[in-house]
Amino acid sequence: MKVLSVASECAPLVKTGGLADVVGALPAALAQQGVQMRTLLPGYPAVMAAVTEGQTDPEAVLDFDDLFGGPARVLAVSVAGLDLLVIDAPHLYARPGNPYLGPDGRDWPDNPQRFAALSWVGAQIAAHGAGDWHPAVLHGHDWQAGLATEYLRRMDAGHVRTVLTIHNIAFTGPADPGRLDSLRLDPGRFHSEGYEFWGAISALKAGLMGADALTTVSPSYAEELMTPEFGMGLEGVMRHRRASLHGILNGIDEDAWNPATDPAIAAYAKPAGKAAAKSALQAEMGLPQADGPLCVIVSRMTHQKGLDLVLETLPTLLEQGGQLAVLGSGDPDLERAFRAVAEADPNVAVRIGYDEGFSHRLIAGGDAILVPSRFEPCGLTQLYGLRYGTVPVVALTGGLADTVINASPAALARKVATGIQFAPVTAGALRNALVRLDALYKDRKTWSRLQTNAMAQPVGWALSARAYAELYAGLTASR
């Protein structure tokens, strides 16, 4: 079966978060299920550099005289083990900054057109093919691919089935109704049963209403999306589409994230081997030796991620002899606050930004990884923590609830616990979790068991890829 994946980012070529890791890992995982997936990406500078490096003449499989403001072509290439279709449209994508923001940290004002173009090209390929390659399913990711179903309505595409995966419903892809014409949308669909959302165009809602099937990245998040607390105003839509919604857990690339072979660290296969990684991390970050657990964070610095709660409860960790090492960026106030505590206390170290190799060293060297998110569709850092024997301390929400077995008395007695969960998502509950963490860490036998259990936890793509393949097969069989 042939499937077109439509996404705004894809590891290792371009990444701002976990979406890229998922999009980059799915093709190889699905190949084991007999699915041939090609990934459609915008031609950002980093992507075009990868395309041209070592490629004498990438094959152009589609040309557009006017793709939302200028000419464009679609290149078929194989890069980093991925079969890609890349939209070469310099007027839309040849810009500095990340995929969504300029160097000033602000959204590009024409983002609605930039990602409408991604959806438009995806719909064209789904309906008419790219060269001699014709997909049976278009699988879009988040709001950036949401308009594809609207565009497919106009095309002779009854043979194509559509899937939209919600990685984070908080981002709806809004646009002013004055852009209807420039986005090539049918104004007759601007209503509550179409793509209208609180008086604006919503690319995400278009996909939620139009896709044949919806998936999200954990079973718990699928349930949460139907509630006002987590549905972000779209809970009614999610309840309406309940029968078509599937919660499928994300996995991680177990080759890229393998402590036994990871070139970024002093490799280890058992928890005892973490000692060298911890010492190396302490030296790299300028942290002294300490009696308590070294906690690490790899995260965007946003309110969603609950990092303000870490700042509030940090004295509890430090008073117990613990340490904190942080890698992340985002909200300027949070960045300043973490820098300030690092300057004030030698047991706190912070690096603002993102570095893939350093993220591996951080997770390998930590005793525990903190993920106190207020909501978390799936989360990947807790999975990396499990893989590396770095005990997750997580909020009881979304995929965090589905992937970590809480160290309750019953789970400890049965020797199945893999981490610590806390609820509600408050400073008080996190403070209690840090006290529990310290007690478990000082019970060396129990701590070693937690680490061993964590490293044995299945975190790969095998089960999830099978679920996606079965979903595709069911959709195409119903044509």
Side-chain angles (χ1 to χ4, degrees), residues 326-393:
V326 180
L327 172 65
S329 63
D331 182 282
D333 290 338
L334 284 171
E335 289 184 4
R336 282 192 291 269
F338 273 101
R339 280 194 177 107
V341 296
E343 291 171 1
D345 196 299
N347 285 299
V348 180
V350 175
R351 185 176 295 185
I352 301 299
Y354 186 74
D355 180 297
E356 184 73 16
F358 180 61
S359 72
H360 285 238
R361 297 195 296 279
L362 198 68
I363 291 172
D367 294 304
I369 185 164
L370 307 184
V371 194
S373 303
R374 288 181 166 88
F375 67 94
E376 193 63 69
C378 179
L380 295 179
T381 56
Q382 85 278 10
L383 301 181
Y384 301 145
L386 290 168
R387 181 77 162 144
Y388 282 63
T390 306
V391 174
V393 179

Side-chain angles (χ1 to χ4, degrees), residues 119-476:
S119 290
W120 180 270
V121 174
Q124 293 284 348
I125 294 171
H128 308 301
D132 60 358
W133 190 80
H134 296 267
V137 176
L138 183 154
H139 184 163
H141 297 271
D142 270 350
W143 73 265
Q144 294 90 346
L147 291 178
T149 57
E150 286 296 316
Y151 298 141
L152 279 169
R153 285 176 175 272
R154 306 186 199 170
M155 304 174 187
D156 182 17
H159 58 291
V160 178
R161 291 292 176 259
T162 54
V163 177
L164 181 75
T165 294
I166 309 154
H167 296 267
N168 191 336
I169 205 168
F171 301 103
T172 61
D176 188 271
R179 299 196 192 214
L180 279 170
D181 287 343
S182 66
L183 295 179
R184 305 180 184 178
L185 291 170
D186 176 3
R189 296 272 302 152
F190 185 67
H191 53 69
S192 61
E193 298 299 314
Y195 54 79
E196 182 271 337
F197 182 57
W198 294 102
I201 298 164
S202 169
L204 179 64
K205 187 179 177 190
L208 296 179
M209 294 299 293
D212 294 312
L214 305 176
T215 74
T216 192
V217 291
S218 72
S220 287
Y221 191 57
E223 293 295 322
E224 290 173 348
L225 288 179
M226 290 180 273
T227 69
E229 182 180 1
F230 296 97
M232 303 295 177
L234 288 163
E235 59 273 10
V237 175
M238 301 312 300
R239 289 194 295 269
H240 174 67
R241 296 300 316 272
R242 181 194 299 264
S244 301
L245 178 62
H246 307 263
I248 301 175
L249 268 174
N250 283 340
I252 63 173
D253 185 332
E254 292 181 293
D255 293 326
W257 291 90
N258 184 349
T261 59
D262 192 335
I265 66 169
Y268 60 89
K270 295 181 179 180
K274 284 179 65 66
K278 180 177 180 178
S279 294
L281 177 62
Q282 287 172 320
E284 182 175 2
M285 297 295 282
L287 293 168
Q289 299 294 309
D291 294 330
L294 170 54
C295 295
V296 298
I297 295 172
V298 179
S299 178
R300 287 183 290 111
M301 292 186 174
T302 65
H303 179 75
Q304 175 205 335
K305 297 297 184 179
L307 297 193
D308 55 306
L309 303 179
V310 175
L311 290 168
E312 192 172 344
T313 58
L314 186 56
T316 297
L317 175 66
L318 299 177
E319 288 163 7
Q320 296 173 155
Q323 297 177 311
L324 179 68
V326 180
L327 172 65
S329 63
D331 182 282
D333 290 338
L334 284 171
E335 289 184 4
R336 282 192 291 269
F338 273 101
R339 280 194 177 107
V341 296
E343 291 171 1
D345 196 299
N347 285 299
V348 180
V350 175
R351 185 176 295 185
I352 301 299
Y354 186 74
D355 180 297
E356 184 73 16
F358 180 61
S359 72
H360 285 238
R361 297 195 296 279
L362 198 68
I363 291 172
D367 294 304
I369 185 164
L370 307 184
V371 194
S373 303
R374 288 181 166 88
F375 67 94
E376 193 63 69
C378 179
L380 295 179
T381 56
Q382 85 278 10
L383 301 181
Y384 301 145
L386 290 168
R387 181 77 162 144
Y388 282 63
T390 306
V391 174
V393 179
V394 303
L396 185 65
T397 186
L400 305 177
D402 292 337
T403 54
V404 176
I405 302 173
N406 184 43
S408 66
L412 289 170
R414 293 179 59 197
K415 300 181 179 179
V416 296
T418 62
I420 296 171
Q421 296 176 335
F422 68 92
V425 189
T426 63
L430 177 56
R431 189 175 291 110
N432 291 337
L434 293 175
V435 172
R436 290 168 59 204
L437 170 67
D438 184 64
L440 289 167
Y441 179 76
K442 289 173 179 174
D443 180 346
R444 303 312 299 171
K445 182 177 180 181
T446 300
W447 185 256
S448 179
R449 168 56 62 185
L450 269 178
Q451 292 179 306
T452 300
N453 291 348
M455 294 183 75
Q457 190 79 355
V459 293
W461 274 105
L463 293 176
S464 301
R466 187 178 309 135
Y468 277 117
E470 290 172 354
L471 176 61
Y472 301 150
L475 290 173
T476 54

